[in-house]
Structure formats: C-alpha cells, structure tokens
C-alpha cells in the first residue's frame, strides 16, 4: 500500500485547489450554525436553478429527469435532489453530512449579575473538552422568537468592530488545586458562564449591570429578558477561517466537523447535470447529540421528502418508496481523524487517515469491538474503489483510531436502516471538536472531486 502526497500529484491544479479553499473559507466564516448553513445553501441552490419542493407541489409541476429541487425543515435541515434519467426505483446516489457543530448554547434563563458583572449561563452542545472553551473570543449567534411571531436574528462578535464575549479561566498563579484535577473536571459545565458586561445602568441600584445589558439588547435588537425563553442563541469561536501553516496548505476554522464535508457535498450536487441516478444531498442537524429530534437524521423528514419527490414525479407508491430507499447508495460525508504526530499513540499507522492524501473512507466506525458501527458491505466498498479510481480521485480506507482507543459514529447507521449501502467518508481533520479545527486544502478539494464522481456514477 503506497501513501501518496497529493500536493505533488495535483501540482498542475493548485490554482483550483486554492480557489475552492477560498470559497470554503468564506462559507465557513459566515455560516457557523445549522440555520446559517441552511439559509446560505438555499440561496446557492436557488441561484443554480433549484426550486423549493413545496412550491413544486403547490404548482402541481411534474418533475422530470434533470429537475432540481430542495426541501428544508424548521430552517435547520435541508435536502437537495436532482432527478436522474434512470427509474428512481434503481436507487439514488446520496451524500449526507451534518451542519451542527459543538458549541456553547445559552440556557433558557441565561442572564444574571454577580459582583458587578453580567454573565450568561451556557449549556454545552456536543462532545467537547470543556477546558478548550475558556479564555478565547466567542461570538453570539442565533435567533430570538418573540410572542408576536417576530423572529430576530442576532450576531455579535463577527464584525471586526463588534465586541466579543468569552468564558474566563482561572489564573495560573492560583490554579494549584485546579491543575491537579482530571481533564474532564478541570473546567466544569456549570462554570462555563460568559462575561458580557460591567457598566451599571444609570439611576438603578439593584442588578444595574444586568439592566444595562438588557437596555442595550432592547435598543439594538428589540427583545427583552423574557424573550430569552424562546430563543436559540449559541456561543461559537469568533472570527473568520484562516490559512494555517507557513505554506498556507491548511485551513483553520470553527465547525469543520462537519461543514468541511457539507460544503463540498453541496457544491457537488448543485452542479450535477442530467445524472443517470437521482442524486440527493442531505444536510442534517443534531448529529453531535445523537441525530435525534425533528431535524436530526433519525427523523422521518428524509423519508417523507423522498415520498414527496416521487409524488411530484408521478411515481409514488409505498412499495416503490421502500424500493428506492433500499436500492440507494450513500456516502455518509463526515470528517475523520487525521494522523497527528503529536499524538501517535492513538492511531495504528497502517490503518489511519493522513492529511494531504485525499478522501478518508472509514469502512466502519464504532468503538471497542466495533460496537455501534455501520459497516460498509465489501461489495459496496469495491464499487466505491472503482468509482474513485475511474475518476482519478485519491483516497484512503482506514479506521478512526486504534482498537480500544475510543471511537465515534456518524449518521451512517440510520440510513443503513433502510437496507441501503452506506460508507463513511470525509476530510481528515486535526483538533476535531476543538474551537479551531484544521484540515488540508488539498483534501477538501479531493473530497469535492470524489463527491462529484459519486454523483456522476
Ligand atoms: Mn461529524
Ligand atoms: Mn462530531
């Protein structure tokens, strides 16, 4: 098995690699939440001629080969379809990524004052090393929904002129006891409170600093303290994606798990022209907390959307829907771990993904004795090899970490429940789930090419 460095192989395409990386950096800098991703991707798809499936249904337009539609739900999950020339019963070519990422959500009653400071209570979302989320600039993103139905979008901390927020850390001088603690409790969940102000409101005695913050929120954003109850506000690392490395070969950005796969998947499907198989790209929410709920991969939204699509094609029947789902094949587009020379002990060097070598396939994920893994069928893996080799796409097939080192999962097993072929594949990243994750530009590019090849197959 030969490991090739893609930078040498793609030497003539470096302009395209850089161009795609720049576009990705712009996307991931403006889209840090699932809502922002859905809104952004909807705009892109519309510009590429996609129609809202709801409008298609309302108009009674019949979908034909080449038709492009999207379906979104609650503004947090979206599915794109391009109708193929072959009978849809032969199955769809699906890529599926998630657009939620670990972060600090605000609690329903977040704002309080203590000792002359105003703070926000948070509840972390997804698997994080809590100690990584202190002493760094955070931005507030999200929506506030008022009783009258009005929805207010909030972003504080992204414009260079904006203030940033943050969670304080204990000074090293007084951290003797803290430094002896286990990593999981060095910083505890209940202590992830963000500092947001210190100036008292003029003429107020009780909770004057908190009242001052509320007056700013009321003036600038037109919402009051009770409106926090019906809000989804979240703290994410502030600031744009950056080139990483003296040679600028990598990208450092928040939320690359899994937007570094979502973005190439969407870019691939919006440019698909007259495919043989019907193509589908699913972007789900809530993967980081188990794919649960109405907008997670566990919901019926995907299945319902396929039923609606088939109905708009004049081809719906319950049995045919079952056949479409079973006969489909899917790339579960999610990041994998890049081999990190600082932590060689957690990887089997013969069976891990390396940055700079292209797409990272995981035949199975899971933990310990493959518990919880969705294991791609060998026959399907052979087909994937053929597709990628024919399209001259570079990839590795590996595992996430050493046996007994830990493990992970994706949305693969949920889609596999329909009986379809599913394999995990995505961009290898460093620092997964840390505030700033790192990936190789050449791998992002190669993953885009790989998803394109899969759609065109
Ligand atoms: Mn992921
Ligand atoms: Mn993750």
């Amino acid at each position: 098995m030969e490991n090739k460095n893609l930078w040498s192989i793609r030497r003539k395409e470096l302009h395209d690699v850089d161009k795609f990386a720049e576009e990705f950096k712009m996307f991931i800098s403006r889209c840090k939440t699932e809502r922002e991703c859905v809104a952004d991707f909807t705009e892109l798809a519309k510009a590429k001629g996609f129609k809202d499936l709801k409008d298609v249904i309302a108009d009674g337009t019949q979908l034909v080969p080449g038709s492009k539609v999207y379906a979104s739900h609650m503004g947090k999950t979206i599915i794109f379809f391009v109708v193929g020339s072959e009978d849809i019963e032969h199955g769809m070519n699906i890529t599926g990524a998630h657009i939620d990422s670990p972060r600090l959500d605000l609690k329903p009653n977040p704002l309080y004052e203590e000792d002359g400071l105003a703070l926000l209570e948070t509840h972390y979302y997804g698997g994080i090393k809590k100690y990584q989320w202190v002493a760094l600039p955070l931005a507030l993103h999200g929506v506030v929904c008022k009783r009258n139905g009005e929805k207010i979008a909030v972003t504080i901390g992204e414009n260079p002129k904006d203030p940033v927020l943050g969670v304080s850390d204990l000074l090293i001088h007084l951290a003797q006891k803290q430094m002896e603690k286990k990593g999981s409790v060095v910083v505890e969940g209940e202590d992830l409170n963000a500092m947001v102000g210190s100036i008292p409101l003029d003429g107020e005695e009780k909770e004057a600093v908190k009242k001052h913050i509320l007056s700013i929120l009321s003036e600038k954003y037109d919402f009051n303290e009770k409106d926090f109850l019906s809000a989804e506000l979240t703290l994410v690392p502030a600031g744009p994606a950056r080139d990483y490395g003296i040679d600028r070969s990598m990208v450092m950005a928040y939320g690359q798990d899994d937007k570094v796969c979502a973005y190439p998947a969407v870019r691939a499907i919006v440019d698909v022209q007259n495919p043989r198989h019907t193509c589908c790209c699913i972007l789900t929410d809530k993967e980081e907390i188990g794919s649960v709920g109405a907008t997670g991969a566990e919901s019926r939204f995907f299945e319902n959307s396929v039923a609606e699509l088939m109905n708009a094609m004049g081809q719906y029947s319950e049995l045919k829907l079952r056949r479409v789902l079973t006969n489909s094949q899917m790339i579960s587009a999610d990041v994998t771990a890049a081999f990190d020379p600082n932590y060689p002990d957690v990887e089997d060097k013969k069976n891990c993904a390396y940055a700079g070598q292209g797409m990272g396939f995981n035949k199975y994920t899971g933990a310990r004795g493959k518990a919880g893994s969705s294991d791609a069928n060998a026959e399907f893996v052979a087909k994937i090899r053929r597709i990628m080799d024919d399209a001259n796409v570079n990839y590795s097939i590996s595992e996430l970490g050493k046996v007994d080192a830990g493990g992970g999962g994706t949305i693969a097993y949920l889609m596999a429940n329909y009986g379809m072929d599913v394999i995990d594949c995505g961009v290898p990243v460093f620092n997964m789930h840390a505030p700033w994750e790192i990936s190789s530009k050449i791998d992002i590019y190669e993953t885009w090419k790989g998803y394109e090849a899969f759609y065109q197959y």
Side-chain angles (χ1 to χ4, degrees):
M1 305 289 278
E2 179 193 5
N3 290 331
K4 301 174 248 178
N5 188 317
L6 255 184
W7 287 103
S8 310
I9 298 170
R10 293 266 176 254
R11 215 167 274 284
K12 284 187 184 134
E13 292 161 66
L14 294 190
H15 173 78
D16 295 342
V17 172
D18 264 341
K19 186 167 176 282
F20 194 75
E22 281 309 306
E23 288 159 357
F24 166 64
K25 277 162 58 194
M26 270 156 44
F27 157 77
I28 201 163
S29 299
R30 61 177 187 262
C31 298
K32 296 193 176 181
T33 67
E34 56 279 358
R35 285 178 190 264
E36 289 160 355
C37 288
V38 167
D40 206 80
F41 286 146
T42 303
E43 283 311 303
L44 173 66
K46 278 184 181 166
K48 296 275 186 179
F50 281 70
K51 300 255 182 302
D52 191 334
L53 187 54
K54 276 192 190 131
D55 295 338
V56 168
I57 294 165
D59 295 350
T61 318
Q62 171 129 353
L63 298 178
V64 295
S67 293
K68 301 171 171 189
V69 292
Y70 66 88
S72 62
H73 195 48
M74 295 181 174
K76 299 179 190 173
T77 177
I78 187 164
I79 304 176
F80 301 95
F81 295 102
V82 180
V83 178
S85 54
E86 242 180 46
D87 188 344
I88 192 170
E89 193 169 314
H90 298 171
M92 300 184 290
N93 289 359
I94 306 168
T95 65
H98 65 93
I99 47 178
D100 61 317
S101 301
R103 64 198 185 211
L104 305 180
D105 287 341
L106 297 199
K107 288 189 185 182
N109 299 289
L111 185 61
Y112 67 102
E113 176 171 341
E114 213 156 275
D115 306 311
L117 293 168
L119 295 113
L120 292 170
E121 291 270 4
T122 71
H123 194 142
Y124 64 95
Y125 172 96
I128 60 167
K129 290 178 169 179
K130 283 162 279 192
Y131 63 78
Q132 292 179 332
W133 291 72
V134 297
L136 81 162
L138 300 175
L140 188 67
H141 287 232
V143 295
V144 178
C145 297
K146 304 210 319 185
R147 283 196 315 177
N148 64 7
E150 199 186 332
K151 187 156 76 182
I152 299 159
V154 177
T155 315
I156 303 173
E158 297 297 350
N159 188 314
K161 286 182 181 159
D162 279 358
V164 291
L165 316 177
V167 179
S168 60
D169 196 5
L170 184 59
L171 61 165
I172 184 68
H173 315 69
L174 301 179
Q176 208 167 313
K177 239 162 123 189
Q178 185 196 34
M179 296 305 282
E180 281 159 16
K181 286 183 183 173
K182 260 172 58 182
S184 58
V185 292
V186 165
V187 172
E188 300 201 42
E190 204 54 68
D191 298 331
L192 291 169
N193 306 311
M195 213 179 279
V196 296
S198 57
I199 302 175
L201 188 65
D202 215 15
E204 292 288 338
E205 281 192 5
K206 228 179 129 229
E207 299 194 312
V209 176
K210 173 180 162 181
K211 281 176 184 156
H212 184 224
I213 295 296
L214 284 170
S215 77
I216 296 171
L217 293 176
S218 163
E219 202 177 300
K220 271 200 88 171
Y221 298 97
D222 193 29
F223 73 88
N224 62 36
E225 186 171 14
K226 284 213 163 145
D227 294 326
F228 274 121
L229 293 171
S230 49
E232 286 174 6
L233 292 167
T234 185
L235 287 165
V236 294
R242 305 283 295 267
D243 283 343
Y244 192 79
I246 291 171
D247 61 3
R248 296 178 176 268
S249 57
M250 294 168 269
V251 173
M252 176 180 243
Y254 162 71
Q256 298 205 58
D257 176 7
D258 183 33
K259 296 173 194 84
V260 76
C261 296
Y263 185 74
V266 172
R267 283 289 303 270
I269 197 161
V270 294
D271 286 330
V272 166
Q273 299 297 342
N274 305 312
R276 191 156 69 87
H277 292 283
T278 293
C279 295
C280 170
C281 174
I282 309 168
L283 302 172
T284 72
D285 174 31
K286 301 288 186 283
E287 193 275 345
E288 296 296 357
I289 58 165
S291 294
V292 288
T295 55
E298 245 185 35
S299 104
R300 294 270 181 269
F301 173 62
F302 165 66
E303 193 178 320
N304 293 349
S305 299
V306 177
E308 292 285 5
L309 174 87
M310 291 171 65
N311 199 44
M313 292 164 69
Q315 298 197 32
Y316 174 75
S317 79
E318 176 61 21
L319 182 60
K320 186 154 180 167
L321 170 65
R322 303 285 135 212
R323 287 175 179 163
V324 170
L325 295 171
T326 305
N327 293 336
S328 288
Q329 47 187 358
M330 178 184 186
I331 286 180
S332 167
D334 207 342
V335 293
T336 188
F339 176 80
D340 184 344
N342 277 340
Y343 299 95
D345 292 351
V346 298
E347 296 283 2
D348 166 10
K349 291 190 84 168
K350 300 175 292 302
N351 284 284
C352 63
Y354 293 85
Q357 294 187 0
M359 307 174 87
F361 282 91
N362 288 144
K363 185 177 182 294
Y364 46 82
T365 53
R368 302 179 302 281
K370 300 191 177 181
S373 79
S374 172
D375 192 351
N377 211 22
E379 287 84 345
F380 182 52
V381 182
K383 188 172 177 181
I384 287 285
R385 286 175 54 208
R386 197 164 66 236
I387 295 171
M388 297 306 158
D389 290 343
D390 287 353
N392 193 25
V393 170
N394 290 269
Y395 60 92
S396 64
I397 300 181
S398 60
E399 294 198 16
L400 185 131
K402 259 185 189 167
V403 178
D404 287 339
T410 68
I411 63 168
Y413 74 102
L414 293 164
M415 306 301 289
N417 284 343
Y418 292 113
M420 68 174 74
D421 273 314
V422 187
I423 188 164
D424 276 301
C425 167
V427 176
V429 305
F430 298 102
N431 294 5
M432 200 189 295
H433 285 207
W436 297 99
E437 299 170 313
I438 295 150
S439 63
S440 171
K441 290 178 180 178
I442 201 95
D443 295 334
I444 304 173
Y445 177 81
E446 203 71 4
T447 298
W448 176 40
K449 294 288 148 199
Y451 295 163
E452 271 184 348
F454 181 65
Y455 279 140
Q456 276 152 16
Y457 172 74

